[in-house]
Amino acid sequence: MNRNELENINPDIFTRMPDREFTEEEFEIENLPIDQREVFDHIRDIKDPEHPMTLEELRVVELSSIEVDDKANYCHVQFTPTIPNCSMATLIGLAIKVQLLRLLPARFKIDVIVTPGTHNSADAINKQLGDKERVTAALENMHLHAVINECLLFPEPQFIPRFVERALEETNKSEHQKVRYIQHSRQHIESYRRWRDIIYGDEKKWKSSLAYNV
């Protein structure tokens, strides 16, 4: 998009929060509940459709605007467009929702809405984001799907922590299809849960099957 065509030519830029620390000890812990910060880490680096900045840097998403209840399987995210008439608001909401649908367990109900009072068409946008059929139909549009992926994916792979790389090698999971996706996805590369799912997923399925059969 030509800079002269931008709706918000000079948006305010905010400082990025430090990354959440991730240790080898945490990597060994199973079944930690999904919390507010984990969801924030999944969406903070989504690229804005108009600018090279992320949603966090533009303060479109904030940690305080996320509610998560792991036991109730519920995730609620509010996002704030940079201007009240932003034509990209629906696309931004779709990008957030698609990212969370891809990364959170299927048991979660995910609500993504515009922060009240921050957009002129908030009701219409919220209605579309809350309609499963309309979201599915939007993603079946190949051009729109490609645009969303541009917001969600990095062109170059991220570096994998050495102890995770070692675990992938030891379990013969280095070539797993999800490894490349995580490396290119705009999610925190050190998310212990994503790597554990790949490395120990088959083992957990086997244990569950064994327990069921007994």
Side-chain angles (χ1 to χ4, degrees):
M1 178 178 289
N2 188 297
R3 186 168 176 78
N4 292 327
E5 298 175 353
L6 297 178
E7 293 178 344
N8 188 2
I9 297 177
N10 295 303
D12 292 330
I13 311 299
F14 300 88
T15 304
R16 190 180 189 277
M17 286 177 58
D19 285 336
R20 189 179 199 174
E21 291 187 9
F22 176 71
T23 66
E24 191 166 359
E25 289 72 26
E26 275 188 304
F27 184 64
E28 297 302 325
I29 299 175
E30 290 189 64
N31 301 321
L32 286 175
I34 293 173
D35 60 13
Q36 180 188 37
R37 180 58 196 267
E38 181 170 347
V39 170
F40 180 65
D41 283 340
H42 286 327
I43 65 176
R44 66 191 297 194
D45 288 326
I46 294 174
K47 190 181 82 67
D48 181 81
E50 284 193 318
H51 299 282
M53 285 76 77
T54 67
L55 298 189
E56 179 185 16
E57 290 171 326
L58 294 173
R59 200 168 282 179
V60 172
V61 296
E62 297 183 76
L63 182 63
S64 60
S65 297
I66 297 170
E67 297 178 22
V68 180
D69 189 330
D70 186 78
K71 291 183 179 180
N73 303 319
Y74 179 67
C75 173
H76 178 85
V77 176
Q78 291 187 8
F79 69 99
T80 304
T82 57
I83 52 176
N85 60 337
C86 175
S87 65
M88 297 290 176
T90 301
L91 177 59
I92 291 170
L94 280 171
I96 294 170
K97 186 142 191 175
V98 169
Q99 181 80 319
L100 295 179
L101 286 171
R102 288 177 177 178
L103 301 180
L104 293 184
R107 60 185 170 86
F108 268 81
K109 182 181 185 300
I110 300 167
D111 287 333
V112 177
I113 68 167
V114 178
T115 303
T118 63
H119 195 280
N120 298 336
S121 303
D123 290 343
I125 294 170
N126 293 341
K127 184 175 182 180
Q128 178 168 344
L129 294 176
D131 188 323
K132 184 183 295 185
E133 291 184 359
R134 293 178 72 177
V135 171
T136 300
L139 295 179
E140 288 175 351
N141 180 314
M142 298 305 294
H143 172 71
L144 182 57
H145 199 162
V147 172
I148 290 174
N149 275 338
E150 286 182 12
C151 297
L152 300 184
L153 302 178
F154 287 112
E156 299 296 329
Q158 302 180 75
F159 173 75
I160 300 175
R162 179 56 195 146
F163 60 88
V164 173
E165 190 174 42
R166 185 168 61 247
L168 287 168
E169 292 169 353
E170 290 173 352
T171 55
N172 297 316
K173 297 292 179 66
S174 297
E175 301 301 320
H176 195 287
Q177 61 181 356
K178 290 185 179 179
V179 172
R180 184 175 181 277
Y181 179 78
I182 291 178
Q183 284 187 281
H184 286 268
S185 178
R186 287 180 178 272
Q187 59 175 294
H188 189 22
I189 192 67
E190 297 185 339
S191 171
Y192 72 91
R193 192 184 309 281
R194 306 302 295 171
W195 295 118
R196 286 192 62 89
D197 285 348
I198 292 172
I199 294 167
Y200 302 117
D202 293 338
E203 178 184 338
K204 285 193 283 188
K205 289 178 183 177
W206 178 81
K207 286 181 178 179
S208 297
S209 175
L210 184 64
Y212 178 79
N213 289 331
V214 170

